[in-house]
């Protein structure tokens, strides 16, 4: 069995090496611009709470350095996503038909675009609203003085961006599974209620503990689930649809 798996393991190691190497190279390039990147990360907060963004602090000596490294790695990961998607496709391509192998460019493009859409939606809409709500709740309701750590803010920011980016990959994953014959539109319709429940649980786990950010993730995901049903119907329609 090991001999049969060995070629696949070698191929997997090759694809992982290329992906990791790309992220590492981009990391060093991004680290040179970490101050500029941090300013970009702070921009959504500056738009709604300018006084808060100017008061960000650090509470540990190593926090500024680790924050610079974290934002550099985060940016390197985002820049490397097309390469990562490309390597993923190259790994699974040997098991596909010749006509399916030609879908590599649409797959990489669509996957990259959907992740970018999720990240931009989070950047321009979710983060400003969620941050303003959380700060206002502490200031107006509890009469607390906000003292925001840059390290904690970057952790908050990156978690949300990655969560929304991955969540917006739902139509891409559906297309891939439908192409392989693992799902069809009837299957997705049948499990719609369960999927909505899973979406809201996922949103609750991946967002801050406030209703606004949870709904801002869950509602677009429900819409993307509907889009996924349409994609599955076009790629792999159920037998019931074919008979009709």
């Amino acid at each position: 069995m090991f001999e049969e798996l060995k070629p696949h393991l070698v191929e997997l190691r090759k694809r992982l090496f290329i992906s990791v190497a790309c992220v590492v190279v981009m990391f060093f390039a991004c680290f040179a611009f970490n101050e500029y990147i941090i300013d970009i990360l702070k921009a959504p907060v500056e738009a709604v709470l300018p006084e808060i963004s100017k008061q960000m602090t650090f509470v540990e000596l190593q926090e500024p350095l680790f924050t610079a490294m974290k934002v550099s790695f985060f940016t390197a990961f985002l820049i490397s996503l097309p390469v990562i998607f490309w390597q993923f496709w190259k790994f699974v391509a040997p098991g596909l038909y010749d006509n399916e192998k030609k879908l590599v460019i649409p797959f990489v493009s669509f996957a990259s675009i959907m992740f970018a859409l999720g990240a931009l939606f989070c950047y321009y809409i979710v983060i400003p609203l969620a941050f303003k709500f959380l700060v206002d709740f502490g200031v107006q309701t509890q009469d607390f003085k906000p003292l925001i750590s840059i390290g904690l803010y970057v952790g908050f920011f990156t978690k949300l961006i990655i969560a929304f980016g991955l969540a917006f990959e739902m139509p891409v994953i559906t297309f891939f599974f439908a192409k392989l014959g693992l799902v069809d539109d009837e299957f997705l319709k049948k499990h719609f209620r369960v999927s909505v429940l899973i979406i809201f649980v996922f949103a609750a786990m991946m967002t801050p503990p406030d209703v606004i950010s949870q709904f801002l993730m869950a509602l677009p995901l429900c819409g993307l689930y509907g889009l996924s049903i349409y994609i599955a119907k076009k790629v792999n329609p159920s037998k019931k649809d074919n008979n009709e």
Side-chain angles (χ1 to χ4, degrees):
M1 179 180 292
F2 179 76
E3 292 298 325
E4 295 178 356
L5 292 175
K6 189 174 180 179
H8 299 288
L9 294 175
V10 172
E11 182 68 14
L12 177 61
R13 183 175 61 182
K14 176 183 177 182
R15 300 305 167 190
L16 287 175
F17 176 80
I18 294 175
S19 299
V20 172
C22 181
V23 173
V24 171
V25 172
M26 289 296 103
F27 168 80
F28 286 105
C30 293
F31 190 79
F33 301 94
N34 69 84
E35 293 183 8
Y36 176 71
I37 297 172
I38 291 176
D39 287 339
I40 294 177
L41 267 58
K42 291 167 58 179
V45 178
E46 291 180 346
V48 294
L49 297 166
E51 67 283 359
I52 297 298
S53 64
K54 296 177 182 179
Q55 298 173 3
M56 286 190 178
T57 63
F58 65 93
V59 295
E60 297 179 345
L61 291 176
Q62 71 275 17
E63 188 172 340
L65 175 60
F66 286 174
T67 299
M69 294 176 64
K70 184 182 292 185
V71 299
S72 300
F73 176 79
F74 171 70
T75 308
F77 171 75
L78 295 183
I79 295 174
S80 302
L81 274 178
V83 175
I84 295 173
F85 289 137
W86 183 281
Q87 295 306 311
F88 170 77
W89 186 271
K90 296 291 285 184
F91 176 70
V92 301
L96 303 177
Y97 295 108
D98 290 338
N99 62 319
E100 294 173 339
K101 293 179 181 179
K102 298 178 181 179
L103 296 172
V104 56
I105 294 179
F107 170 79
V108 173
S109 301
F110 191 38
S112 301
I113 290 172
M114 291 306 297
F115 192 99
L117 287 176
L120 290 172
F121 177 80
C122 180
Y123 182 85
Y124 285 105
I125 297 177
V126 178
I127 289 178
L129 290 177
F131 203 85
K132 188 175 190 314
F133 171 81
L134 293 173
V135 171
D136 286 347
F137 180 84
V139 174
Q140 299 175 7
T141 306
Q142 306 294 338
D143 197 26
F144 295 149
K145 180 180 179 181
L147 193 62
I148 310 300
S149 162
I150 184 61
L152 293 178
Y153 171 74
V154 167
F156 168 88
F157 182 97
T158 54
K159 177 184 176 181
L160 279 181
I161 289 289
I162 292 176
F164 272 84
L166 293 176
F168 271 58
E169 295 291 345
M170 186 189 299
V172 182
I173 296 173
T174 301
F175 174 84
F176 187 73
F177 282 176
K179 203 68 179 176
L180 295 177
L182 299 177
V183 298
D184 56 28
D185 57 303
E186 191 64 28
F187 175 87
L188 296 178
K189 292 175 184 176
K190 182 179 179 181
H191 296 86
F192 176 77
R193 292 183 179 179
V194 176
S195 299
V196 171
L197 176 61
I198 294 174
I199 285 173
F200 274 88
V201 171
F202 175 79
M205 294 173 58
M206 299 305 295
T207 59
D210 66 275
V211 177
I212 294 178
S213 56
Q214 291 173 10
F215 269 89
L216 285 174
M217 172 174 274
L219 294 181
L221 283 181
C222 291
L224 290 173
Y225 191 87
L227 176 61
S228 298
I229 294 175
Y230 175 79
I231 291 174
K233 186 172 183 179
K234 292 296 182 181
V235 176
N236 181 35
S238 64
K239 295 181 180 179
K240 180 179 178 181
D241 293 334
N242 289 331
N243 291 335
E244 293 177 352

